[in-house]
Amino acid sequence: MGHPVLRERAQPLDKSDLKSASVQKLIDDMIDTMHEYRGVGLAAPQIHLPIQAAVLEVHDHPRYPDMPSVLLTVLINPVVTILDQTIVEEWEGCLSIPDLRGRVPRYQQLRVTALGRDAKPLEIDASDFHARVIQHETDHLKGEVYLDRMPNLRSLSFLEEWQRFMLTPKAEEKKES
């Protein structure tokens, strides 16, 4: 946080550029970076590129142990349509704001249309955590971070304390039941 690109509106990628070696390498690098830093998503502005590209994947994530898997997805020029106006407040973190967590309200269900890595159109209906990850990453493409969506900063916590007081007790409760 602090780099100007993170607060800019990202520009669309031209469909004709998607199959280029440089864009394909960028996508690979974004996936590698997301995995290396143990994220569930990464948007191009987070690596200082003001373009509309994001990647996401959730699989046995230690910070989100109860969340269902999300297949590796590449979203180019995504457009989100809200399908359910229900708002759910849950914990989020961000690779651009390391070591912090906070409760963020998000829509429960959405549809995202985008181009995939292969430049073909894709449409995904997502709900719950999957929808949250999509909203988080597409916010980056609008120059927003999760802190902008927090109506109350009192839940803002350091990751270590969040794991100690919020994540661990929930995991222990499940073991006991």
Side-chain angles (χ1 to χ4, degrees):
M1 198 161 81
H3 194 287
V5 172
L6 199 60
R7 293 312 208 152
E8 292 176 15
R9 182 170 286 279
Q11 299 303 305
L13 268 169
D14 191 272
K15 185 177 180 178
S16 63
D17 293 334
L18 275 177
K19 292 186 179 181
S20 71
S22 62
V23 172
Q24 291 299 310
K25 181 175 180 345
L26 169 65
I27 292 168
D28 286 338
D29 290 346
M30 288 177 65
I31 293 166
D32 289 345
T33 300
M34 176 181 64
H35 289 158
E36 180 179 347
Y37 289 94
R38 300 174 64 131
V40 295
L42 185 74
Q46 293 180 273
I47 56 168
H48 310 153
L49 295 173
I51 58 174
Q52 291 187 18
V55 297
L56 50 113
E57 180 179 37
V58 181
H59 182 69
D60 295 327
H61 200 282
R63 286 190 302 268
Y64 306 105
D66 299 329
M67 297 304 155
S69 293
V70 174
L71 294 175
L72 177 62
T73 308
V74 175
L75 299 173
I76 306 297
N77 306 333
V79 175
V80 172
T81 303
I82 303 306
L83 299 177
D84 181 345
Q85 295 294 319
T86 303
I87 301 283
V88 177
E89 189 173 282
E90 272 298 337
W91 293 99
E92 286 187 30
C94 182
L95 298 178
S96 295
I97 310 167
D99 300 324
L100 290 176
R101 294 290 176 270
R103 291 183 64 80
V104 181
R106 298 279 186 190
Y107 292 105
Q108 185 170 347
Q109 188 176 29
L110 59 79
R111 173 172 295 133
V112 62
T113 55
L115 296 174
R117 178 179 197 150
D118 57 3
K120 293 181 182 169
L122 59 89
E123 181 176 283
I124 300 168
D125 287 355
S127 57
D128 305 316
F129 188 69
H130 189 185
R132 177 170 297 277
V133 174
I134 291 169
Q135 289 169 86
H136 180 106
E137 298 311 327
T138 56
D139 273 0
H140 281 302
L141 305 180
K142 297 180 275 186
E144 299 173 0
V145 296
Y146 80 91
L147 297 174
D148 299 329
R149 295 215 178 260
M150 290 180 66
N152 182 344
L153 295 177
R154 291 181 63 91
S155 70
L156 198 59
S157 306
F158 286 111
L159 176 60
E160 187 175 313
E161 299 302 309
W162 176 80
Q163 288 174 319
R164 182 174 168 206
F165 293 108
M166 298 307 297
L167 183 61
T168 304
K170 287 182 182 179
E172 288 173 1
E173 285 173 18
K174 287 191 173 192
K175 287 179 188 175
E176 292 173 4
S177 37

